[in-house]
Amino acid sequence: MEYERQNHEILEVTTVSTPHRTAIVKRHHTMYAHVRLTASEQTAVGQEFTLGIRLARWDDGETVTDYTPTLTVMVDGEPVAEVDPVDGEATFPLQFADPGTYTITVGCPTVQPATVEVVVG
């Protein structure tokens, strides 16, 4: 399988041959940068915790430093902030006033987003 980077996405490149023609077919495979999140699985009501954000390359997981888009932090599907990674990494403090399980998603249209769940008790 061959792959090609075109802007912010990785394309799967396939050659299709018939007796009369040869065509190069390029299809979306994945995004170049994937968001990786680190966070505590549990926290207390009113306690601040830090969400770690890292942009990783799709193929080897190395930190992406040549592309740093503005990322949206969403809690339960609602945007709460924007973060600008520096050298592919960022942190974001979060604090919850009510107990429950919260779904945190970080991404933007040009990266593969990531999601974590945090239980607040």
Side-chain angles (χ1 to χ4, degrees):
M1 201 67 54
E2 281 187 54
Y3 299 99
E4 176 183 303
R5 179 178 174 188
Q6 190 172 58
N7 296 321
H8 309 299
E9 71 180 311
I10 302 300
L11 303 175
E12 180 182 313
V13 181
T14 308
T15 302
V16 179
S17 296
T18 68
H20 303 289
R21 293 195 175 119
T22 299
I24 305 294
V25 178
K26 298 179 181 181
R27 292 186 296 182
H28 173 79
H29 177 68
T30 191
M31 301 308 286
Y32 170 67
H34 288 221
V35 175
R36 301 284 189 250
L37 300 176
T38 54
S40 300
E41 292 180 9
Q42 295 184 338
T43 189
V45 170
Q47 179 179 339
E48 185 176 288
F49 77 98
T50 301
L51 178 67
I53 303 166
R54 186 171 74 86
L55 290 173
R57 284 198 308 239
W58 73 282
D59 54 352
D60 60 11
E62 291 293 318
T63 301
V64 171
T65 57
D66 62 340
Y67 171 62
T68 53
T70 297
L71 302 173
T72 302
V73 178
M74 296 191 301
V75 176
D76 291 339
E78 295 295 322
V80 296
E82 289 186 338
V83 176
D84 292 311
V86 175
D87 293 328
E89 298 187 13
T91 58
F92 185 76
L94 283 166
Q95 187 174 14
F96 296 97
D98 298 312
T101 301
Y102 294 88
T103 302
I104 303 167
T105 303
V106 177
C108 73
T110 59
V111 301
Q112 188 72 37
T115 299
V116 294
E117 282 194 345
V118 176
V119 176
V120 179

